[in-house]
Amino acid sequence: MEELLKLDQELFLFFNNLGSSPWDGFWLFITNKFASIPLYAFLLFLLYRNYGVKPTLTIMVLVAAMITCTDQLANVFKHGFQRPRPCQEDFIEQGRYIAVRCGRYGYFSAHAASSTALAIFMGFLLKRFYKYAFPLLIIWALVVSYSRIYVGVHYPGDVFTGMLIGTLIGLGFYHLFKWIYRKYFKI
């Protein structure tokens, strides 16, 4: 286990040190939870356009539950494992810490889990209408996830675990929506 944690620290330093001052503002913007509001509004428009009012409202409720699920699960893991964030470690002097704040613990990344869950869920909902929706949403989730390493608050292992858990939760909520849609909306 110690070797795995050391590898994660080395990967963190590699990926974190890819950054440079001219890009810091961009990555701080990307990692901000409010930066994706225009994307959310656009996705909402696409859902309404292709599914109608009632299914879109159902999707909104499911998205709220899905994000709550990823965030609360991340809190359980964070307090259960109590793994210090990289910005809390002595070796951060070898890296770049540019985040606005640094929490105490961080296993796994809630940003990575939430963005991946949303990308999987929305990607599957929209891919039959827009063939590039799924890959573009996955790229967005990867960018948001990497931003957590760039700003110095998560290890690559935290991000990878968050993306894995987000994928499972996104798939689960997609299948739940399919069941609801067939049962209540499909005539």
Side-chain angles (χ1 to χ4, degrees):
M1 187 63 155
E2 196 65 34
E3 288 295 318
L4 193 57
L5 293 173
K6 181 71 174 158
L7 175 63
D8 206 18
Q9 179 181 336
E10 290 173 13
L11 284 171
F12 167 79
L13 288 171
F14 173 77
F15 287 120
N16 176 262
N17 280 313
L18 291 175
S20 62
S21 295
W23 286 96
D24 290 353
F26 170 77
W27 288 105
L28 284 168
F29 173 75
I30 293 296
T31 206
N32 187 312
K33 61 185 172 187
F34 298 113
S36 297
I37 289 176
L39 173 65
Y40 303 152
F42 183 64
L43 290 172
L44 188 59
F45 167 74
L46 293 178
L47 290 170
Y48 171 74
R49 182 176 177 195
N50 292 290
Y51 284 97
V53 174
K54 288 181 182 179
T56 299
L57 291 173
T58 303
I59 291 167
M60 290 172 64
V61 169
L62 289 175
V63 166
M66 181 175 65
I67 300 304
T68 300
C69 182
T70 58
D71 283 348
Q72 293 308 309
L73 193 56
N75 284 332
V76 168
F77 273 67
K78 175 175 31 176
H79 295 294
F81 283 92
Q82 294 187 348
R83 182 181 189 194
R85 291 175 183 259
C87 48
Q88 297 288 350
E89 300 279 10
D90 292 335
F91 72 84
I92 194 62
E93 295 168 2
Q94 300 169 32
R96 305 176 71 250
Y97 171 65
I98 63 164
V100 176
R101 64 182 184 84
C102 179
R104 191 167 182 190
Y105 303 119
Y107 184 76
F108 58 88
S109 169
H111 275 75
S114 296
S115 60
T116 303
L118 187 66
I120 295 292
F121 183 66
M122 291 293 179
F124 276 115
L125 288 176
L126 294 171
K127 75 177 189 172
R128 71 182 192 152
F129 304 108
Y130 309 99
K131 71 178 184 175
Y132 295 114
F134 192 83
L136 289 173
L137 286 166
I138 295 299
I139 290 168
W140 166 77
L142 287 167
V143 168
V144 169
S145 297
Y146 171 71
S147 74
R148 304 307 286 165
I149 298 168
Y150 186 99
V151 300
V153 297
H154 277 295
Y155 291 100
D158 300 347
V159 169
F160 178 76
T161 304
M163 292 181 74
L164 180 63
I165 289 172
T167 297
L168 296 174
I169 291 172
L171 284 171
F173 274 86
Y174 170 69
H175 288 294
L176 176 60
F177 175 75
K178 276 186 10 181
W179 178 81
I180 292 169
Y181 189 75
R182 279 194 307 270
K183 186 163 177 77
Y184 297 104
F185 302 118
K186 201 74 168 175
I187 299 171

